[in-house]
Amino acid sequence: MQTVTQAQLFKLFALHLFSTMIAFMLGIMMQQSGYNGPLGILSGALIGLGMAFFAYRLGMRRPDRFFVEYGKEIVGRWLHTPLVLFIAVANLLIGMINFWELQDFLIQFYLVSTPPWAIAGLCGICIAYTVRFGVNSVFRAAEGIFLFSLLSFLLIPILVSESFNWYIGVGLATHFSPREAWPSAYYTSSVFGEMSFVLFIYPYLMQPHRTFRSMSGSMIVAAALVLLHIVPLLLIFGPELASNLNYPELELLRFMRSGSFLETLDPALIALWLISIFVKLGFIVFIISLILAHLLKLKDTKPFVSPVTAFIAVGSLVIVKSNIQFQNLMTGGLLTLFFASELIPILYYVVDSLQAAWRKKRKGRFN
Amino acid sequence: MTAILFIYGLIAAIEWRYTRTGKHNKHSRLLIFGFIALLLLLSELLYLIKLKFQLAEPIIAIFNPLEKLLK
């Protein structure tokens, strides 16, 4: 069963974290925190890693068993089932929201006047096809695309560096307010905290004791890349303009020096970035399928993959009515829902630790 | 709506072929197809009432007060 290497885990989580953060969330960060966005991202990444640490500690106690199966021994079946279902629903919503953003973004810029269902259907087929072949397929996809994706994301700040307004840098260097940075830190931690879902795939991991090291590596790479994109955005657009753009990252891509042959590079970069998002969505679909299969006491996750992907695709068409409602959702509760689902492993860890201490005490009394 | 029905029908057909050849017994097949039917019903329902109700509404209603407290 142990087929996923730590290098693959590192690459998947790095892609998982930076692909959607850079593409979809930078606008919200700047809206909420302005010049303090980078500070918020750094602290949020650390909080997210802290949340994932508890999942790692809990997973290490039973590395060869699935969390959905042994969780009921910790908190009892009646609490375990709704909690795990809540995590599955949170993952479904992550999938739907990312799918919606993907459609909205492609329709606005590249596939103008294409019906959303066509985009949802085509992307859904790609994701379902990847995940149906199992966990290895998702992780190998991440391994294959990681280097290209990383290089493309590193290339963008270099290509736009000629347009930097360096005087804005003064604002970046002089504005430090933890109060302003907190909303960004909160949002970032809810994204980086998604690493705590590693708990569900422990039996697939080779050398599970090195999981936290891989997650820390992913966090450092992802946080550095996000910073490498938010700082150029601030230096080019300033916090006011950037926070009013739906997809500031794409505007940044379009800012590449016109007339150069690199101007036509953006579809290639977008294609690489799309695959990164497919990998992220693939991992999410796999987690949901795994939870459902184990809750129904089935070993095989394959039959759940296609219906779950179809549900995410349909859900993405109906989750919000308009862009305004989407903005309200993103700043009005959705990330708190994700945050709550990522805190669940901490609850299990605390209860498990208390039980272990109690058992030890009782054993000591009888001896 | 017909398209959703068609897609889930196609998925059910694929899974039917898969579960017949694999290690699935009658009970697990029932669970799998029950799950597919449930998701089909939910998808159709959400699509039918998409102008009156969006999934975003209950999320905002429940979690927005909590988020305001934390932020």
Side-chain angles (χ1 to χ4, degrees), chain A residues 38-241:
Chain A
L39 181 67
I41 287 167
L42 268 180
S43 36
L46 285 171
I47 298 171
L49 187 71
M51 283 152 73
F53 174 74
F54 289 98
Y56 156 74
R57 294 285 298 182
L58 181 64
M60 273 313 290
R61 290 184 179 169
R62 303 163 186 86
D64 48 353
R65 290 180 68 195
F66 283 106
F67 171 69
V68 184
E69 287 171 358
Y70 70 74
K72 56 178 174 268
E73 294 162 19
I74 300 174
V75 293
R77 181 179 294 178
W78 294 105
L79 193 58
H80 176 64
T81 309
L83 284 177
V84 171
L85 273 177
F86 180 69
I87 296 178
V89 170
N91 272 295
L92 269 175
L93 288 168
I94 295 174
M96 284 176 192
I97 280 297
N98 286 339
F99 236 94
W100 187 89
E101 286 167 320
L102 196 69
Q103 289 159 29
D104 186 54
F105 160 78
L106 285 175
I107 288 168
Q108 275 188 31
F109 296 101
Y110 290 98
L111 300 171
V112 182
S113 74
T114 309
W117 59 262
I119 300 172
L122 287 173
C123 295
I125 290 169
C126 296
I127 294 162
Y129 198 69
T130 315
V131 188
R132 217 178 131 78
F133 288 103
V135 68
N136 284 345
S137 168
V138 181
F139 279 91
R140 279 190 192 147
E143 196 170 29
I145 201 70
F146 177 75
L147 199 64
F148 296 107
S149 195
L150 185 76
L151 285 177
S152 73
F153 275 100
L154 281 173
L155 201 66
I156 297 165
I158 300 166
L159 289 175
V160 294
S161 60
E162 281 181 17
S163 314
F164 288 170
N165 300 314
W166 288 105
Y167 61 88
I168 300 180
V170 180
L172 262 175
T174 52
H175 283 66
F176 283 105
S177 157
R179 197 186 166 84
E180 267 184 41
W182 171 241
S184 276
Y186 184 68
Y187 292 152
T188 311
S189 59
S190 80
V191 175
F192 277 68
E194 282 170 28
M195 283 194 291
S196 60
F197 298 141
V198 73
L199 186 61
F200 292 96
I201 53 159
Y202 249 90
Y204 294 119
L205 298 178
M206 288 162 93
Q207 298 171 303
H209 60 278
R210 293 184 60 179
T211 305
F212 190 67
R213 202 181 297 175
S214 310
M215 290 197 296
S216 308
S218 309
M219 185 278 275
I220 292 166
V221 169
L225 264 181
V226 176
L227 285 181
L228 271 175
H229 282 252
I230 195 169
V231 172
L233 270 174
L234 285 168
L235 288 178
I236 290 174
F237 299 123
E240 293 297 325
L241 176 59

Side-chain angles (χ1 to χ4, degrees), chain A residues 132 182 187 300 331 333 336, chain B residues 15 18 24 28 56 67 70-71:
Chain A
R132 217 178 131 78
W182 171 241
Y187 292 152
D300 196 3
T331 53
T336 304
Chain B
E15 299 310 340
Y18 171 69
H24 299 272
S28 62
E67 186 159 318
L70 289 167
K71 266 162 67 189

